[in-house]
Amino acid sequence: MSNPSTPLVSADNEWSPLRSVILGRAENSCFPHAPSHMIKATMPEEHFEKFRPDHPFPAELLRRADEELSQFASILEENGVRVYRPQRVNWSKVGGYTAAMPRDGLLTVGNTIIEACYSWECRQQEIDLAFTNILDELEKDSSVKVVRAPKVARPESIYEGVGSRKDGTHEWAINNSRPAFDAADFLRFGKTLIGQLSNVTNEKGVEYIQNAVPEGYTVELLDVNDPHAMHIDATILPLRQGLLIYNPERVTEKALRKHKLFHNWELHAYPHSPPPRDSPPRYMTSGWLLMNVLSLDEEKVLVEAGDKDFAEYIKTFGIKPILCPFQHVNSIGGSFHCATVDLVRQGN
């Protein structure tokens, strides 16, 4: 049982000591599906044809991904982190995607958990089917607030009119007809959330989050140069208070410095190009997924075992990388940050 003085949900940043987390499950995952313009906007071109209904990921890949997730769970528990796991779901039977990437669907802000208003129709049952049992347990703590996403009568309406712009300016893959956002388009920096507009997050989605967060929290949007934008956690990486690494292909120091929050931070462009990888395939991501790490605290970070250059780089800041194999989880859409939802981060 939890100590009565210890909340079940309390997280204000990405780097304080991690005490409790939701960790995903890869079993039965299928390739997600969406209209072709969305796939072209967000997925690697060489894999476009795989994103169709009722198309499971290879069974051996999923088996090995779940082995990696189990090893990750053991590392978390050895470091004193309580781990919650989702229900098993046959995603093929329900036309869904996965329970491996809970960060996409749940955003913890203070004592509040906000469910994403997904734009992808194939993901709109994801939290209901796999994570409701966890959310119900957390809500037994009277201090916890869970904001569930509204049901959408016509999910496909989020795409209506997209592609009609004739002035040559960039257009996202969704319209602004209803709130839409993936939780992974936002990161916590104390009382400020830094987010982005993207192919899955629109202005009404940002307004929805601002209305859902506890009093005193604000949402700011980062100016990101990425027409394929879908999740911010491989673009910026806060390693501790006052230290951030960024992807120089997607954002500039000038754009970051526009935010008062970052005026006195150390901001470092990651200096290496991500190495190519053919096996297992990165079906859904680029090599910049190497930045999608999980901090246990300000001194220890989970890093994919093959990302040696990145591990050596963060050592230069006095941070210890904990290497863990995760390439098969990478294949189905994310890494350590994607595969988790922080529930409690607090100091000793």
Side-chain angles (χ1 to χ4, degrees), residues 1-287:
M1 292 293 292
S2 296
N3 185 316
S5 64
T6 303
L8 293 182
V9 177
S10 178
D12 282 331
N13 61 48
E14 307 288 333
W15 56 83
S16 288
L18 185 63
R19 307 298 188 193
S20 177
V21 73
I22 300 172
L23 174 63
R25 189 184 301 278
E27 184 177 339
N28 297 322
S29 297
C30 295
F31 285 89
H33 53 278
S36 59
H37 80 276
M38 173 64 84
I39 301 302
K40 290 176 181 178
T42 57
M43 296 296 142
E45 184 176 0
E46 64 269 27
H47 299 304
F48 282 173
E49 57 85 20
K50 296 185 183 299
F51 296 91
R52 58 183 189 270
D54 194 22
H55 185 202
F57 286 96
E60 177 62 13
L61 184 147
L62 294 179
R63 184 189 68 78
R64 296 186 66 176
D66 270 325
E67 287 180 351
E68 292 168 352
L69 287 161
S70 294
Q71 183 173 345
F72 183 22
S74 296
I75 292 171
L76 290 168
E77 290 168 346
E78 288 165 6
N79 282 271
V81 179
R82 180 176 181 179
V83 177
Y84 294 82
R85 303 299 300 274
Q87 300 275 61
R88 289 176 168 83
V89 178
N90 187 329
W91 295 105
S92 181
K93 285 189 175 180
V94 299
Y97 165 37
T98 191
M101 307 295 158
R103 182 83 57 171
D104 299 356
L106 295 170
L107 175 64
T108 306
V109 184
N111 67 343
T112 299
I113 300 176
I114 305 167
E115 179 184 356
C117 299
Y118 277 126
S119 56
W120 289 50
E121 185 175 358
C122 69
R123 304 198 71 177
Q124 291 185 1
Q125 299 182 79
E126 209 167 280
I127 301 302
D128 275 348
L129 294 176
F131 299 95
T132 292
N133 61 320
I134 299 172
L135 298 179
D136 288 347
E137 181 177 348
L138 296 172
E139 281 193 294
K140 292 176 182 177
D141 181 342
S142 60
S143 70
V144 173
K145 180 181 180 182
V146 177
V147 180
R148 299 304 300 264
K151 302 303 179 187
V152 178
R154 292 182 59 243
E156 70 279 5
S157 66
I158 197 71
Y159 304 118
E160 291 174 355
V162 172
S164 60
R165 190 175 293 176
K166 304 300 183 185
D167 59 4
T169 58
H170 176 69
E171 184 177 16
W172 297 115
I174 56 174
N175 61 38
N176 197 39
S177 61
R178 65 166 172 87
F181 67 92
D182 280 16
D185 266 333
F186 300 85
L187 293 173
R188 299 178 307 266
F189 295 81
K191 297 293 185 182
T192 302
L193 276 70
I194 297 293
Q196 65 178 9
L197 297 176
S198 75
N199 288 295
V200 292
T201 294
N202 62 17
E203 292 175 358
K204 285 189 176 179
V206 177
E207 292 169 7
Y208 181 98
I209 293 174
Q210 183 63 76
N211 290 330
V213 296
E215 185 176 355
Y217 290 80
T218 59
V219 182
E220 297 181 9
L221 292 179
L222 182 63
D223 183 10
V224 173
N225 179 27
D226 180 12
H228 302 292
M230 181 180 179
H231 306 164
I232 201 170
D233 49 3
T235 297
I236 56 173
L237 168 60
L239 286 171
R240 59 174 177 249
Q241 179 69 39
L243 173 64
L244 180 140
I245 296 170
Y246 64 92
N247 175 345
E249 294 184 5
R250 297 180 184 171
V251 70
T252 64
E253 180 176 350
K254 181 178 179 181
L256 288 159
R257 296 286 184 201
K258 288 179 181 178
H259 296 264
K260 184 178 180 181
L261 167 71
F262 295 129
H263 283 186
N264 296 314
W265 277 53
E266 289 183 51
L267 305 177
H268 297 273
Y270 183 62
H272 306 295
S273 296
R277 192 183 84 201
D278 295 323
S279 182
R282 294 190 189 103
Y283 290 118
M284 301 177 64
T285 68
S286 77

Side-chain angles (χ1 to χ4, degrees), residues 306-347:
D307 291 332
K308 306 293 188 184
D309 288 344
F310 187 81
E312 290 301 313
Y313 179 70
I314 65 172
K315 285 181 183 178
T316 65
F317 300 107
I319 292 171
K320 176 184 177 182
I322 299 174
L323 300 181
C324 178
F326 225 57
Q327 290 189 354
H328 296 84
V329 179
N330 294 171
S331 287
I332 59 175
S335 200
F336 300 102
H337 199 257
C338 296
T340 54
V341 176
D342 310 347
L343 295 176
V344 179
R345 282 191 182 272
Q346 56 186 198

